[in-house]
């Protein structure tokens, strides 16, 4: 059975993935109406929403997911049937220097949203189980980092891999995943969760790895690489993530988690070499850009390798990524070159 969201509350929609999702969704689903709740922390940027298709189907609300009465009011005023929860503190380095905000937003904020959905859908609207399952969704966006780290020879993470988070960021996301699961099992809230690998693409905050590499090249400044650059991540183009989220909302089984990943394992150093080579052609005045590579002291507790087995999403949701790393990174570099003009 296919679920059709109508009125969505998207949290964190002024951030990287949320803004890409909203752009994509407004294009792909002409019937949806979106309320976008975002606190506009350092990571949120209203400019990410400047070029929305049909902006009349999008309302921006500046506010905190920890504000339960605001969230309940938005659910009621906009007859929200679907919550898509992106809002989070998302940068591992910041979680090492200041974990408190990660606990507040990622754990408590998720709890407040779940509780508001429970109060509105079960308490106020008094929906029975069948109506709730057929007409409401709470979709939680999570990360593959909850599974911990892999060695070179380990198989990729599946949905059955035990949780073993290593940073305050991944621990806070793991805790939020458990709360979402508990609201399904305890209260019957119609939830789904996706655990995704590293994303890249337009609108990503400049502090993250790929924007840092591209910006450093364009500015002619050092490209910082942790350790010896041999850490491995599994990369996914952000629009493929948006499609994976929507497939899960529309066709995923309630209470299930789905791994979303690009089958694109790359060592950090190889990504830098690929980007510098591509920019040598696109931006010849800065060539050779690999002269800017600078190795810096490794991150504390730096996970060695992440890799996602997305077979369940492929099997049950018929989802596979459309972009390879080479095609996605070309789109991303072109976007940054446009911004840099
Ligand atoms: P981001 O940091 O770019 O954006 C986060 C957004 O949330 C910002 O707009 C910020 O203003 C908003 N926000 C923060 N605290 C808030 C609060 N208390 N109330 C309301 N809004 C608040 O993050 P992102 O990279 O777009 O990630 C989005 C989600 O996807 C996160 O849950 C993250 O854990 C998950 N995820 C990210 C990646 C990745 O590679 N970026 C991979 C897998 C999963």
């Amino acid at each position: 059975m296919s679920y059709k969201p109508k009125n969505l509350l998207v949290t964190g929609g002024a951030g990287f993935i949320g803004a890409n999702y909203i752009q994509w969704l407004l294009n792909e689903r002409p019937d949806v109406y979106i309320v976008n709740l975002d606190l506009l922390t350092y990571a949120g940027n209203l400019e990410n929403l400047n070029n929305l298709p049909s902006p009349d189907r999008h309302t921006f609300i500046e506010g905190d997911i920890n504000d339960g009465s605001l969230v309940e009011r938005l659910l009621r005023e906009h007859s929200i049937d679907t919550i898509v929860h992106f809002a989070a503190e998302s940068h591992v380095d910041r979680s090492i220097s200041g974990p408190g905000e990660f606990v507040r937003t990622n754990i408590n904020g998720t709890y407040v949203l779940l509780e508001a959905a429970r109060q509105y859908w079960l308490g106020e609207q008094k929906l029975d189980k069948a109506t709730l399952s057929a007409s409401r969704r709470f979709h939680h966006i999570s990360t593959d980092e909850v599974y911990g780290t892999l060695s070179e020879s380990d198989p990729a993470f599946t949905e059955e891999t035990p949780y073993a988070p290593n940073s305050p960021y991944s621990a806070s996301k793991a805790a939020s995943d458990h709360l979402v699961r508990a609201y399904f099992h305890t209260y019957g809230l119609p939830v789904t969760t996706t655990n995704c690998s590293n994303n890249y693409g337009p609108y990503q905050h400049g502090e993250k790895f790929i924007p840092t590499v591209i910006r450093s090249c364009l500015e002619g400044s050092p490209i910082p690489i942790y350790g010896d650059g041999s850490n491995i991540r599994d990369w996914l183009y952000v629009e493929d993530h948006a499609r994976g989220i929507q497939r899960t909302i529309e066709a995923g089984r309630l209470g299930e988690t789905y791994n979303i990943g690009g089958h694109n394992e790359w060592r950090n150093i190889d990504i830098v070499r690929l980007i510098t080579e591509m920019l040598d052609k696109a931006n010849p005045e800065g060539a050779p850009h690999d002269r800017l590579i600078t190795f810096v002291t490794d991150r504390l507790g730096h996970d060695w390798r992440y890799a996602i087995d997305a077979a369940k999403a492929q099997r049950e949701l018929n989802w596979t990524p459309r972009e390879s790393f080479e095609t996605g990174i070309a789109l991303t570099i072109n976007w940054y070159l446009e911004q840099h003009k």
Side-chain angles (χ1 to χ4, degrees):
M1 197 180 72
S2 176
Y3 173 71
K4 287 202 186 331
K6 292 186 212 62
N7 298 331
L8 293 89
L9 175 67
V10 174
T11 70
F16 163 48
I17 306 175
N20 276 284
Y21 171 75
I22 289 174
Q23 287 221 9
W24 179 87
L25 192 68
L26 288 171
N27 266 325
E28 299 286 325
R29 300 287 184 275
D31 302 333
V32 300
Y33 167 70
I34 299 172
V35 179
N36 176 0
L37 173 63
D38 194 299
L39 187 57
L40 295 181
T41 66
Y42 81 94
N45 186 352
L46 280 181
E47 286 179 16
N48 293 353
L49 302 164
N50 270 354
N51 299 316
L52 290 184
S54 44
D56 49 313
R57 290 191 287 121
H58 171 262
T59 299
F60 181 79
I61 307 284
E62 183 174 347
D64 191 340
I65 57 167
N66 285 289
D67 182 345
S69 51
L70 169 65
V71 175
E72 278 192 44
R73 181 167 64 72
L74 293 176
L75 296 182
R76 197 176 300 118
E77 276 181 9
H78 299 277
S79 305
I80 297 295
D81 53 60
T82 306
I83 298 172
V84 189
H85 176 34
F86 293 92
E89 289 293 331
S90 69
H91 193 39
V92 175
D93 289 345
R94 286 178 188 262
S95 82
I96 294 168
S97 57
E101 209 45 41
F102 287 70
V103 171
R104 197 185 84 87
T105 295
N106 300 2
I107 305 178
N108 195 64
T110 302
Y111 155 71
V112 171
L113 287 172
L114 287 164
E115 192 52 21
R118 179 170 88 91
Q119 293 299 341
Y120 178 52
W121 292 336
L122 279 90
E124 199 172 313
Q125 298 193 316
K126 299 198 186 318
L127 301 178
D128 59 41
K129 196 165 183 248
T131 314
L132 196 62
S133 305
S135 63
R136 301 290 184 271
R137 284 297 179 276
F138 185 112
H139 183 72
H140 177 55
I141 321 294
S142 193
T143 166
D144 61 354
E145 301 194 27
V146 297
Y147 299 121
T149 184
L150 296 169
S151 72
E152 194 105 35
S153 57
D154 284 333
F157 301 127
T158 72
E159 291 79 0
E160 309 306 320
T161 303
Y163 274 30
N166 290 323
S167 71
Y169 165 66
S170 52
S172 66
K173 292 298 291 187
S176 66
D177 294 6
H178 292 323
L179 279 170
V180 172
R181 176 190 160 88
Y183 268 68
F184 171 73
H185 285 278
T186 307
Y187 305 113
L189 207 71
V191 309
T192 46
T193 297
T194 40
N195 293 85
C196 188
S197 57
N198 281 41
N199 283 214
Y200 65 98
Y203 304 111
Q204 189 163 25
H205 193 278
E207 69 187 355
K208 299 285 170 66
F209 177 59
I210 286 179
T212 300
V213 175
I214 298 173
R215 188 183 60 251
S216 302
C217 289
L218 296 178
E219 291 173 354
S221 56
I223 306 169
I225 304 180
Y226 282 134
D228 61 1
S230 55
N231 298 64
I232 297 169
R233 300 291 180 263
D234 187 348
W235 291 91
L236 183 71
Y237 187 62
V238 64
E239 196 172 298
D240 280 325
H241 189 185
R243 287 176 39 252
I245 290 167
Q246 200 59 18
R247 283 297 300 153
T248 308
I249 293 170
E250 292 175 354
R253 283 184 291 138
L254 296 182
E256 291 291 315
T257 66
Y258 293 89
N259 282 353
I260 305 286
H263 309 292
N264 267 314
E265 283 187 59
W266 283 71
R267 295 192 312 159
N268 287 349
I269 185 69
D270 295 332
I271 288 184
V272 175
R273 294 212 183 280
L274 178 68
I275 293 175
T276 55
E277 275 168 29
M278 291 174 97
L279 280 171
D280 284 349
K281 293 185 192 119
N283 181 45
E285 62 269 28
H289 293 88
D290 63 1
R291 75 194 146 80
L292 301 168
I293 291 175
T294 311
F295 294 98
V296 301
T297 310
D298 208 352
R299 168 190 280 168
L300 290 173
H302 202 176
D303 285 341
W304 164 251
R305 171 178 166 239
Y306 306 135
I308 278 271
D309 179 343
K312 181 178 173 184
Q314 180 166 4
R315 200 174 53 245
E316 291 191 15
L317 308 174
N318 195 22
W319 174 88
T320 47
R322 289 188 183 158
E323 302 297 340
S324 67
F325 190 70
E326 287 83 350
T327 58
I329 201 70
L331 292 169
T332 307
I333 289 176
N334 284 342
W335 185 84
Y336 279 95
L337 287 171
E338 282 297 313
Q339 307 303 304
H340 197 72
K341 273 183 186 164

